[in-house]
Amino acid sequence: MSKDNNQHLSMWNGWSGSRRGIPVYDLWLQEYLPLLKYDEMILDLGCGIGANTRYLIEQGFQVLSCDYSLEALKNVKEFIKGSQTKYLNMNDPFPFNDDSFKVIVADISLHYFLDTKTIQIMKEIRRILKPDGILLARVSSIHDTFNVSNDDDPDSRYHDYGSYGQRYMNESDLKRYFGLIGDFEYREVTMVRDEPYYRHPKKLYQLKVCKR
């Protein structure tokens, strides 16, 4: 990430630790269940404390949960039966071979990086996706209430909050970044989860990206 690694890690570990327990999920992945296969490992990229991991495992799927925060991974292992975890720092090359995954889920995890790093991450996602593989993702929308900028420069929509930064994407950002992976469809959605950090409605872009 763009800030000092120790500062970032401390923030994410603290945030994950403060949410310790059985993770709360919403049902955004439900519409994509027909695309998933029970014999294919799904990568949960930037899994956090495991909301999407929990949902997918409850539906009978195999999931590899990856995150930068060891506290987050600890929570996944402790509270989600049948989970598998792996440390992954998205600032670095991903520790997977080319064409490793048919489906990658990246929920609210791809909007924390500056422009050049986001481009690098998208190229890594494309590299590890199998031919015709799918990325399912949600990222912060420029219409989210916490956004304060509508400038044209991609990095002007990246806001520095001290211990971390966050990008609020517009439609041109979606094309700039997710277009590097392949063809995509998207819509703007409102997310609410029954937990303190997400009870305030959050505006997101929800995407299905098909590798080409």
Side-chain angles (χ1 to χ4, degrees):
M1 295 182 183
S2 62
K3 302 287 286 183
D4 176 78
N5 280 343
N6 290 332
Q7 187 180 17
H8 268 297
L9 187 57
S10 177
M11 190 280 292
W12 287 118
N13 279 334
W15 192 62
S16 298
S18 70
R19 300 167 66 215
R20 181 179 178 275
I22 300 172
V24 177
Y25 56 73
D26 59 303
L27 297 176
W28 77 283
L29 287 172
Q30 188 172 49
E31 67 183 274
Y32 304 114
L33 293 182
L35 303 176
L36 310 182
K37 296 183 178 180
Y38 292 106
D39 60 349
E40 292 266 7
M41 180 71 74
I42 299 168
L43 177 64
D44 190 355
L45 181 63
C47 64
I49 63 169
N52 294 296
T53 292
R54 178 190 169 203
Y55 175 75
L56 290 168
I57 287 178
E58 286 181 356
Q59 308 310 307
F61 296 102
Q62 303 175 65
V63 184
L64 179 60
S65 308
C66 295
D67 205 273
Y68 175 59
S69 166
L70 294 179
E71 282 295 321
L73 296 178
K74 179 181 176 182
N75 195 85
V76 172
K77 288 186 282 189
E78 183 175 353
F79 291 101
I80 305 176
K81 185 178 180 181
S83 60
Q84 303 177 57
T85 63
K86 186 177 182 69
Y87 172 83
L88 186 149
N89 184 344
M90 282 194 259
N91 286 291
D92 301 329
F94 292 1
F96 301 112
N97 295 329
D98 296 357
D99 306 332
S100 289
F101 298 97
K102 183 68 174 179
V103 176
I104 297 174
V105 173
D107 187 24
I108 328 179
S109 63
L110 298 177
H111 51 223
Y112 295 110
F113 306 89
L114 288 169
D115 180 63
T116 54
K117 183 60 66 175
T118 305
I119 289 171
Q120 175 186 312
I121 289 167
M122 295 298 170
K123 290 179 178 178
E124 279 293 278
I125 290 173
R126 187 183 190 283
R127 179 183 67 80
I128 67 171
L129 273 174
K130 292 182 177 181
D132 300 319
I134 295 171
L135 168 68
L136 304 174
R138 294 192 296 189
V139 294
S140 288
S141 165
I142 197 169
H143 301 123
D144 192 65
T145 55
F146 292 102
N147 179 47
V148 295
S149 173
N150 288 290
D151 295 336
D152 292 331
D153 177 10
D155 276 336
S156 73
R157 294 185 292 280
Y158 179 90
H159 302 301
D160 188 336
Y161 294 114
S163 59
Y164 74 104
Q166 184 166 332
R167 175 182 303 284
Y168 296 88
M169 296 195 187
N170 62 16
E171 293 188 32
S172 67
D173 291 323
L174 302 183
K175 295 173 184 176
R176 177 177 177 80
Y177 301 128
F178 294 97
L180 294 170
I181 299 171
D183 301 318
F184 65 93
E185 57 187 52
Y186 67 93
R187 68 180 186 271
E188 195 171 45
V189 299
T190 300
M191 184 196 81
V192 177
R193 283 182 184 162
D194 188 20
E195 62 165 314
Y197 285 100
Y198 290 116
R199 282 182 184 145
H200 183 83
K202 184 170 180 58
K203 283 287 186 181
L204 304 169
Y205 281 113
Q206 179 172 315
L207 303 99
K208 181 181 80 169
V209 190
C210 299
K211 179 179 176 178
R212 65 164 183 266

